[in-house]
């Protein structure tokens, strides 16, 4: 089907991904206020403007350097299954740590929407978020929502729609590392590209290799054999 | 100028604010702690101890994270406030 | 070039410092973004979480509150399930007589009536009457607690104990999931990073009674242990007994974890980080509906799916004769001596064996077994229920052993399948079967022999 799109929900644990997923899809993924409530993938779909958005609720991750099985599930999905759009759900009350993951997602995939959730609580705590400025800085749409109170959904769905139709083009921020690191990335990146092609961001893989993420190797090998076989 | 006092996170008292100077951990755990915000220069507040004394909860990067003493004894920093 | 080779190259270029710098850089960038894009008006800090944590994780009140929470959830479940359970039982009893009348009217053959009504209908009706009400109350109550953010505090309080026995602090979270369903809890152990500690959590999860065993535990606790009480007091005593049973299960969990940590799964506890999120008021209506309706429903459907064929099978076994007794009776007689040793009997052993696919059906199978041989009474109320057991020589000791066996015995079929899927090891799946089974045999055996030795019964 030409008009079915996969939208992955990523983010730190406990930022309201499952709540958002339920509110959007009307499905009943169980929620809980603790890190680790969702450990496997759940799917549900929404019809919007003659399109089907297939949402995928991923387990929460603090970073994309996977530490445990549930985090690996999330990382592999974003990197290797390549959803059409990745929604990064952030907790408005702890953005400092949350942006960390958002930046990592921006490094490896292009079509990203940053959903700043729990905006109701943030407002109560007097936290003011300038989403325009953040949109400019990050190069992808930044939207404030409250999953629990269903605030900001029309804009969110519309933005997803405009990304998949190409009306908006995301230009995610390319994080510049200190020169010394950039130099090493430059040395490795071409070799990575020779192996993985354009399927996965070579820059991101290069960074992870420098970073020492061994668990990634198996996945890449699997990808290569898969491509070789098909 | 008084020299800042260097203490381990595990020795912090409730309310202390510690600016991390050193992480003596390796591998996956080091990375996990870095991801959570226990980086050099970060300010960490000692929030509370578990009823049995271990683990201890810290406020870091706008979130509360509990660490066992095995880890918190390997993170050092300058004591910059007693919380009074 | 191979990716492995490239990885080695990259590692030559990389240093610990460089790795730190990458993360450091990300954090600095995040920090910058926050500085530019966010203003924090006044210090409206979240003091509610602070205050509540001072109570929930207090050195004095922390543990008692955990016990009270556990007790409260059980009490609400037991007291609340009482009336709907008996209403459902009445309703099904009425329906059964109607259906029987219909069968008579249609001149249906006796065996068909037996198989469909006395087997299928009765079996599944019991599952629903006994299991559904506690489930429909327990799940939402627990879900509210969970959505509020209490569970990580339990993990925070209990961590020290788990560390002592060589397990992971997050095991308390996976155990909490076990109250709902052990099969799901086995999957939830993915949150535990280290394989060794994850294995411990998997192997010991079934010592937490899942909802499929709640019904059984509640029935026996209230029939035999709280028999002398009525009304609210009865629920309270039943609650007390259940809390005791659960604590005993936790004790066994600690013991098995400790033992395995010293033997087959040697090792020291690995790293651990636990986030304590701020308390958040759950959306009560949504949570309650989601938990009670969908979760109870799916668990119930599963139970009925297993119960239906098992009920028919039990009826068939009870009614096909080889020589002068039924197949069921042959099996029961064969198992009886062993059962007696544990203070149980052949029917009970049979029920647990046939109940392997799902714990929900153990009690219905047991009742069907008893009814197929004894005088075939209608079970209309709890009193009748107790009479059936008494007719088969039950005492409080039988009930206690039954409860302990239910608490400690091998995980259900679904859980075993999940254990295999998660561990990908036949050996460990077998261990997950063997360890509880041995314990479930040894403990009732010891209790029974002790009680008999001292002539307490
Ligand atoms: N106040 C408020 N609470 C929310 C909102 N979204 C989620 N929550 C709560 O945050 C907690 C974590 O939600 P969950 O969806 O399980 O997070 P996940 O781990 O990211 O899937 C739950 O207690 C939710 O009720 C929101 O927009 N406002
Ligand atoms: Mg979730």
């Amino acid at each position: 089907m030409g008009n079915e799109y996969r939208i992955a929900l990523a983010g730190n644990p406990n930022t309201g991904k499952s709540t958002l997923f339920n509110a959007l899809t009307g499905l009943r993924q169980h929620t809980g206020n603790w890190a680790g409530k969702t450990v496997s993938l759940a799917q549900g779909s929404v019809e919007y403007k003659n399109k089907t958005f297939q949402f995928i609720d991923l387990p929460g991750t603090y970073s994309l350097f996977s530490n445990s099985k549930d985090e690996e599930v999330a990382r592999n999905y974003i990197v290797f299954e390549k959803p059409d759009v990745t929604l990064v759900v952030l907790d408005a009350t702890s953005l400092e740590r949350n942006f960390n993951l958002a930046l990592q997602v921006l490094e490896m995939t292009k079509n990203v929407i940053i959903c700043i959730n729990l905006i109701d609580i943030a407002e109560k705590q007097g936290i003011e978020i300038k989403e325009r400025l953040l949109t400019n800085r990050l190069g992808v749409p930044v939207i404030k929502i409250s999953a629990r109170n269903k605030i900001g959904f029309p804009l969110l769905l519309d933005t997803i729609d405009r990304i998949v139709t190409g009306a908006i083009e995301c230009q995610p921020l390319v994080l510049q590392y200190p020169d010394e690191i950039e130099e090493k990335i430059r040395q490795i990146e071409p070799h990575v590209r020779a192996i993985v092609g354009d399927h996965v961001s070579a820059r991101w893989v290069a960074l992870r290799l420098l970073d020492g993420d061994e668990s990634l190797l198996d996945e890449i090998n699997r990808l290569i054999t898969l491509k070789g076989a098909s | 100028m008084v020299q800042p006092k260097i203490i381990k996170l595990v020795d912090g008292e409730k309310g202390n604010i510690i600016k991390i100077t050193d992480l003596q951990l390796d591998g996956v755990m080091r990375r996990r702690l870095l991801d959570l915000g226990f980086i050099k220069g970060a300010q960490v507040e000692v929030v509370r101890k578990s009823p049995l004394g271990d683990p201890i909860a810290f406020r870091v990067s706008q979130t509360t994270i509990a660490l066992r003493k095995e880890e918190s004894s390997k993170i050092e920093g300058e004591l910059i406030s007693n919380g009074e | 070039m191979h990716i492995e080779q490239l990885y080695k190259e990259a590692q030559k270029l990389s240093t610990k410092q460089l790795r730190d710098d990458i993360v450091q850089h990300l954090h600095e960038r995040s920090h910058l973004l926050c500085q530019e894009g966010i203003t924090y008006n006044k210090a409206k800090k979240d003091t509610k979480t602070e205050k509540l944590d001072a109570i929930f994780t207090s050195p004095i009140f922390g543990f008692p509150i955990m016990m009270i929470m556990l007790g409260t959830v059980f009490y609400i479940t037991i007291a609340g399930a009482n009336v709907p359970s008996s209403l459902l039982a009445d309703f099904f009893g009425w329906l059964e007589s109607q259906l029987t009348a219909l069968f008579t009217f249609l001149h249906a053959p006796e065996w068909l009536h037996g198989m469909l009504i006395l087997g299928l209908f009765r079996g599944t009706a019991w599952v629903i009457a006994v299991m559904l009400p506690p489930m429909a109350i327990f799940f939402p109550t627990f879900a509210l607690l969970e959505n509020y953010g209490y569970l990580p505090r339990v993990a925070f309080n209990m961590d020290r104990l788990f560390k002592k026995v060589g397990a992971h602090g997050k095991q308390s979270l996976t155990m909490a999931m076990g109250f709902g369903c052990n099969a799901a809890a086995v999957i939830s152990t993915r949150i535990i990073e280290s394989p060794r500690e994850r294995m411990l959590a998997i192997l010991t999860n079934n010592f937490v009674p899942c909802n499929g065993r709640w019904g059984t535990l509640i029935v026996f606790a209230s029939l035999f242990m709280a028999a002398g009480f009525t009304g609210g007091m009865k629920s309270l005593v039943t609650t007390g007994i259940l809390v005791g049973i659960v604590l005993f299960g936790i004790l066994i969990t600690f013991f098995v974890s400790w033992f395995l940590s010293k033997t087959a799964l040697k090792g020291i506890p690995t790293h651990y980080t636990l986030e304590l999120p701020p308390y958040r008021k759950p959306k009560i209506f949504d949570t309650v509906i989601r938990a009670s309706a969908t979760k109870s429903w799916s668990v119930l459907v599963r139970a009925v799916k297993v119960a239906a064929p098992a009920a028919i099978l039990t009826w068939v076994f009870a009614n096909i004769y080889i020589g002068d007794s039924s197949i069921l009776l042959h099996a029961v007689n064969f198992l009886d001596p062993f059962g007696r040793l544990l203070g149980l009997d052949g029917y009970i052993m049979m029920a647990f064996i046939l109940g392997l696919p799902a714990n929900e059906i153990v009690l219905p199978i047991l009742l069907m077994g008893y009814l197929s041989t004894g005088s075939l009474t209608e079970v209309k109320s709890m009193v009748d229920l107790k009479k059936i057991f008494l007719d088969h020589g039950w005492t409080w000791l039988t009930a206690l052993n039954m409860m302990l066996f239910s608490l400690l015995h091998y995980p259900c079929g679904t859980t075993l399948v999940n254990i295999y899927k998660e561990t990908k090891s036949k050996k460990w799946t077998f261990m997950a079967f063997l360890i509880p089974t041995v314990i479930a045999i040894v403990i009732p055996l010891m209790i029974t022999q002790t009680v008999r030795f001292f002539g307490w019964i």
Side-chain angles (χ1 to χ4, degrees):
Chain A
M1 264 199 289
N3 59 353
E4 198 176 298
Y5 301 95
R6 284 175 306 133
I7 324 288
L9 295 171
N12 281 179
N14 233 5
T15 54
K17 294 177 295 300
S18 298
T19 309
L20 176 63
F21 176 84
N22 288 337
L24 285 171
T25 61
L27 275 185
R28 280 128 200 205
Q29 172 78 331
H30 291 278
T31 58
N33 194 3
W34 52 287
K37 177 65 200 176
T38 313
V39 289
S40 48
L41 306 175
Q43 296 198 14
S45 61
V46 178
E47 300 295 322
Y48 187 81
K49 291 195 182 165
N50 299 322
K51 299 178 192 71
T52 307
F53 295 155
Q54 187 81 32
F55 284 93
I56 298 109
D57 185 21
L58 300 175
T61 52
Y62 290 117
S63 113
L64 293 164
F65 181 99
S66 66
N67 275 289
S68 57
K69 204 85 205 137
D70 53 334
E71 296 197 342
E72 217 165 281
V73 170
R75 183 203 65 190
N76 289 348
Y77 195 88
I78 304 173
V79 181
F80 297 106
E81 301 294 322
K82 303 204 98 181
D84 296 291
V85 179
T86 305
L87 295 188
V88 185
V89 183
L90 308 186
D91 176 348
T93 63
S94 54
L95 282 173
E96 212 173 301
R97 193 193 65 200
N98 277 247
F99 270 136
N100 205 12
L101 179 79
L103 290 172
Q104 292 183 45
V105 173
L106 290 178
E107 277 184 328
M108 53 189 220
T109 175
K110 189 174 164 200
N111 289 344
V112 177
I113 298 176
I114 309 280
C115 294
I116 302 190
N117 188 29
L118 295 141
I119 202 72
D120 52 319
I121 296 186
E123 268 162 19
K124 269 189 215 138
Q125 294 180 3
I127 300 172
E128 216 177 283
I129 297 157
K130 306 187 192 96
E131 69 267 37
R132 285 273 177 73
L133 184 139
L134 291 173
T135 301
N136 283 336
R137 289 283 184 282
L138 296 170
V140 298
V142 176
I143 299 174
K144 292 201 273 196
I145 63 164
S146 168
R148 188 175 184 270
N149 306 322
K150 307 195 177 176
I151 293 170
F153 287 14
L155 181 62
L156 174 62
L157 286 169
D158 190 55
T159 311
I160 295 174
D161 183 59
R162 292 204 286 164
I163 288 184
V164 297
T165 55
I168 304 181
E169 180 151 8
C170 296
Q171 307 211 302
L173 163 82
V174 179
L175 207 60
Q176 286 298 314
Y177 288 92
D179 290 343
E180 184 207 3
I181 300 179
E182 285 295 332
E183 173 56 35
K184 287 174 181 165
I185 295 176
R186 264 196 297 280
Q187 285 181 36
I188 299 171
E189 200 181 326
H191 299 292
V192 175
R193 188 163 288 119
I195 297 173
V196 298
D198 289 329
H199 195 75
V200 181
S201 159
R203 179 183 163 86
W204 179 77
V205 175
L207 251 168
R208 292 284 82 82
L209 292 181
L210 284 171
D211 211 357
D213 190 348
E214 253 188 299
S215 73
L216 197 61
L217 299 181
D218 291 341
E219 295 303 323
I220 288 179
N221 277 329
R222 191 170 310 155
L223 176 85
I224 297 166
T225 35
L226 224 76
K227 279 202 306 186
S230 65
Chain B
M1 268 287 291
V2 265
Q3 274 292 315
K5 193 175 158 204
I6 300 280
I7 64 167
K8 293 179 177 133
L9 282 197
V10 70
D11 298 325
E13 290 298 323
K14 188 168 153 49
N16 283 179
I17 294 178
I18 299 161
K19 187 173 165 189
I20 297 180
T21 52
D22 193 18
L23 233 79
Q24 295 140 0
L25 285 144
D26 286 308
V28 179
M29 190 54 186
R30 182 183 183 87
R31 181 59 200 239
R32 166 51 67 93
L33 287 171
L34 291 174
D35 282 337
L36 289 172
F38 291 91
I39 53 170
K40 264 177 219 166
Q43 298 197 0
V44 176
E45 183 190 338
V46 183
V47 180
R48 67 180 67 256
K49 287 189 173 147
S50 143
L52 301 171
D54 185 43
I56 303 175
F58 301 98
R59 187 85 189 151
V60 60
S61 200
Q62 301 174 335
T63 50
T64 307
I65 305 286
L67 300 179
R68 282 176 173 173
K69 68 168 184 283
E70 280 74 6
E71 279 82 42
S72 56
S73 64
K74 290 184 183 137
I75 306 174
E76 274 183 359
E78 295 168 11
L79 183 62
I80 57 175
S81 160
N82 278 321
E84 272 106 39
Chain C
M1 202 187 315
H2 267 296
I3 192 79
E4 277 85 5
Q5 238 173 308
L6 197 56
Y7 177 73
K8 283 200 194 95
E9 295 291 315
Q11 284 309 293
K12 268 183 230 152
L13 288 174
S14 179
T15 58
K16 190 166 143 191
Q17 187 59 44
L18 182 139
R19 285 194 290 274
D20 281 10
D21 285 347
I22 292 177
V23 190
Q24 190 98 18
H25 193 71
L26 280 165
H27 274 283
E28 275 162 19
R29 203 51 193 249
S30 299
H31 190 69
L32 198 69
L33 278 170
C34 282
Q35 273 187 339
E36 287 183 330
I38 295 152
T39 39
Y40 297 92
N41 296 326
K42 39 203 169 296
K44 272 198 214 156
K45 265 179 69 184
D46 172 24
T47 50
K48 186 181 75 179
T49 296
E50 183 76 9
K51 281 181 194 143
L52 282 172
D53 270 345
I55 304 169
F56 287 150
T57 67
S58 132
I60 305 164
F61 302 116
F63 279 88
I65 286 178
M66 280 190 326
M67 300 279 289
I68 290 168
M69 288 277 190
L70 191 70
T72 310
V73 174
F74 291 177
Y75 182 78
I76 294 173
T77 305
I78 292 164
N82 242 332
V83 176
S85 263
S86 53
L87 283 180
L88 275 174
D90 287 351
F91 170 72
F92 286 127
W94 172 82
L95 199 61
E96 186 182 310
S97 60
Q98 297 298 307
L99 287 170
T100 304
L102 182 71
F103 271 68
T104 325
F105 174 74
L106 293 174
H107 299 291
E110 188 55 37
W111 64 265
L112 190 69
H113 173 257
M115 197 160 89
L116 290 184
I117 302 300
L118 302 180
L120 179 68
F121 180 82
R122 243 186 212 180
T124 43
W126 268 325
V127 170
I128 295 171
V130 176
M131 301 295 157
L132 182 63
M135 238 156 51
I137 298 173
F138 176 79
F139 281 142
T141 316
F142 190 80
L144 285 178
L145 213 57
E146 183 182 354
N147 273 281
Y148 193 60
Y150 183 63
L151 291 192
R153 275 69 193 185
V154 173
F156 183 60
N157 290 345
M158 300 274 286
D159 179 61
R160 182 70 188 276
L161 299 175
F162 281 100
K163 191 167 93 179
K164 270 236 164 81
V165 298
H168 198 285
K170 284 185 190 165
Q171 191 170 326
S172 35
L173 296 174
T174 63
M175 284 165 72
M177 293 296 97
F179 282 118
C181 169
N182 297 128
V186 164
I187 299 176
S188 80
T189 59
R190 290 181 187 176
I191 58 171
I192 297 174
E193 295 93 343
S194 123
R196 186 190 76 89
E197 278 125 75
R198 187 167 170 223
M199 189 64 82
L200 286 176
I202 290 177
L203 292 177
T204 55
N205 192 270
N206 78 302
F207 297 128
V208 176
C210 66
N211 71 79
R213 291 179 271 169
W214 279 111
T216 312
L217 294 175
I218 293 174
V219 164
F220 290 113
S222 65
L223 277 187
F224 284 89
M225 321 253 161
F229 304 90
T230 49
M233 196 57 201
K234 190 179 177 106
S235 301
L236 205 63
V237 174
T238 311
T239 305
I241 289 158
L242 278 195
V243 170
I245 288 278
V246 168
L247 290 182
F248 185 69
I250 295 174
L251 209 70
I252 295 288
T253 302
F254 282 140
F255 174 75
V256 172
S257 302
W258 170 82
F259 184 78
L260 287 173
S261 292
K262 294 266 175 271
T263 52
L265 288 166
K266 253 196 209 110
I268 43 156
T270 45
H271 58 255
Y272 155 97
T273 58
L274 174 76
E275 179 163 4
L276 298 174
Y279 292 100
R280 285 174 191 152
K281 205 166 127 240
K283 206 153 189 168
I284 294 178
F285 185 74
D286 279 15
T287 311
V288 167
I289 294 302
R290 186 174 309 131
S292 58
T294 57
K295 201 162 179 180
S296 309
W297 181 248
S298 67
V299 174
L300 193 70
V301 167
R302 186 178 77 95
V304 169
K305 267 189 199 151
V306 186
I312 294 183
L313 199 72
T314 311
W315 188 88
V316 170
F317 281 174
N319 286 278
I320 294 180
Y321 282 71
I322 298 176
D324 55 355
S325 61
S326 65
I327 298 182
L328 187 76
L329 212 57
H330 279 299
V332 165
N333 288 337
F334 174 74
L335 292 168
D336 203 60
F338 180 65
R340 299 269 162 209
L341 220 54
L342 311 186
L344 302 168
D345 67 24
Y347 289 98
I348 303 175
M349 300 316 294
M350 189 69 203
F352 275 112
I353 292 171
L354 288 177
L356 175 69
N359 283 303
E360 285 85 347
I361 60 176
V362 170
L363 186 58
I365 291 180
L366 179 60
L367 286 171
M368 286 175 65
Y370 281 158
L371 290 182
S372 70
T373 48
S375 53
L376 203 91
T377 40
E378 281 277 300
V379 189
K380 280 233 180 65
S381 69
M382 286 295 225
V383 184
D384 290 346
L385 205 59
K386 185 164 183 184
K387 196 166 165 303
I388 301 177
F389 294 118
L390 291 178
D391 282 350
H392 283 84
W394 277 52
T395 60
W396 63 267
L397 181 64
T398 325
L400 177 67
N401 286 329
M402 171 88 190
M403 289 168 77
L404 287 173
F405 197 87
S406 172
L407 172 77
L408 302 170
H409 80 293
Y410 45 79
C412 75
T414 319
T415 307
L416 286 172
V417 169
N418 280 358
I419 292 177
Y420 181 69
K421 278 189 194 153
E422 294 294 316
T423 60
K424 302 222 167 56
S425 150
K426 289 204 181 83
K427 179 186 134 201
W428 285 112
T429 309
F430 180 66
M431 288 305 277
F433 175 87
L434 190 68
I435 296 169
T437 307
V438 169
I439 294 176
I441 290 172
V442 168
I443 288 181
L445 183 76
M446 276 175 7
I447 292 178
T448 306
Q449 299 312 322
T450 312
V451 168
R452 286 195 186 139
F453 179 80
F454 286 105
W456 288 331
I457 205 144

